[in-house]
C-alpha cells in the first residue's frame, strides 16, 4: 500500500521527537540486520520523506542491504510510555549529510539521556551507546509507505490507517 499521506503531521511530530530509534533492513536472501538510529527529521526537500541519522561504522550491513533493495523498517519508541510505531518503506538510500543533520545529533542525545533517566538508565551508558563522531555520521532517507502500531498490548502489530490516532 503506497500513500503519499502516510506521514501525517501528528506522526511526523512523534517520530521526530527524539525517540529511541532502530533501523532494520534485509538483503535479497532475507538476512536481517539492525542498527540504532541517532535522530530523525523530515526531509526539507519533500515533507513525506524522513532523514535518519546513523553511525556509519556500525551501519555497514544495513547500508549494504539498503543498496541491494531499498527496503527498510524503522521502529520509534517513547521510552517513558513504550508508545511505539514502525514505519516501512521501499526507497531507502544513503544521502549526503548536511549541517542540519549534524546539528540534530547533540540535541537528540541530550533528550534521550533525559528520557532514559526516567527509567533508571545511567547517563554515561546512554552517552556511550549513542556516541558518534561527526565524521562517522551518515544519513538514510526514505519515504514511509506503511505504518504499524507497535505499542505493547492487544493492538500491537496492526497496520494504522492514514490519519488514525497513534497508539
Amino acid at each position: 500500500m503506497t500513500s503519499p499521506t502516510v506521514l501525517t503531521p501528528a506522526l511526523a511530530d512523534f517520530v521526530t521527537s527524539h525517540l529511541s530509534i532502530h533501523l532494520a533492513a534485509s538483503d535479497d536472501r532475507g538476512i536481517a540486520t539492525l542498527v540504532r538510529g541517532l535522530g530523525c527529521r523530515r526531509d526539507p526537500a519533500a515533507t513525506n520523506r524522513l532523514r535518519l541519522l546513523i553511525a556509519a561504522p556500525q551501519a555497514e550491513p544495513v547500508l549494504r542491504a539498503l543498496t541491494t533493495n531499498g527496503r527498510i523498517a524503522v521502529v520509534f519508541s517513547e521510552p517513558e510510555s513504550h508508545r511505539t510505531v514502525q514505519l516501512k518503506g521501499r526507497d531507502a538510500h544513503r544521502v549526503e549529510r548536511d549541517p542540519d543533520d549534524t546539528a540534530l545529533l547533540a540535541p537528540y542525545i541530550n533528550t534521550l539521556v533525559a528520557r532514559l533517566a526516567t527509567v533508571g538508565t545511567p547517563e554515561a551508558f546512554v552517552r556511550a551507546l549513542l556516541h558518534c563522531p561527526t565524521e562517522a555520521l551518515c544519513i538514510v532517507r526514505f519515504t514511509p509507505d506503511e505504518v504499524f502500531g507497535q505499542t505493547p498490548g492487544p493492538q500491537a502489530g496492526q497496520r494504522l490507517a492514514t490519519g488514525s490516532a497513534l497508539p
Side-chain angles (χ1 to χ4, degrees):
M1 176 177 125
T2 300
S3 171
T5 60
V6 166
L7 192 61
T8 63
L11 180 58
D13 288 346
F14 180 68
V15 302
T16 60
S17 66
H18 304 317
L19 305 172
S20 179
I21 304 168
H22 289 89
L23 290 72
S26 62
D27 63 21
D28 285 336
R29 296 173 298 146
I31 306 299
T33 185
L34 176 91
V35 69
R36 176 173 287 283
L38 300 173
C40 176
R41 70 183 184 102
R42 284 184 115 161
D43 187 351
T47 58
N48 66 328
R49 290 191 308 222
L50 295 173
R51 295 172 69 90
L52 304 165
L53 286 66
I54 54 177
Q58 294 145 1
E60 287 305 322
V62 169
L63 294 169
R64 278 194 305 277
L66 294 177
T67 299
T68 301
N69 57 42
R71 292 188 313 251
I72 191 169
V74 187
V75 174
F76 300 86
S77 183
E78 186 176 64
E80 311 91 315
S81 68
H82 300 294
R83 190 167 65 138
T84 305
V85 297
Q86 179 187 61
L87 302 180
K88 291 186 178 183
R90 290 174 271 193
D91 65 350
H93 59 283
R94 186 175 182 168
V95 296
E96 290 296 316
R97 178 182 67 239
D98 70 29
D100 290 336
D101 296 319
T102 304
L104 181 61
L105 183 60
Y108 174 81
I109 291 172
N110 292 336
T111 301
L112 215 54
V113 162
R115 287 182 157 213
L116 290 171
T118 67
V119 294
T121 308
E123 178 177 349
F125 176 82
V126 178
R127 290 196 183 281
L129 181 68
L130 302 177
H131 175 75
C132 179
T134 302
E135 63 274 7
L137 189 64
C138 75
I139 308 304
V140 169
R141 182 174 66 195
F142 83 107
T143 309
D145 59 19
E146 294 179 283
V147 59
F148 297 86
Q150 295 293 346
T151 301
Q155 305 299 315
Q158 291 188 359
R159 182 187 310 265
L160 298 180
T162 300
S164 65
L166 295 175

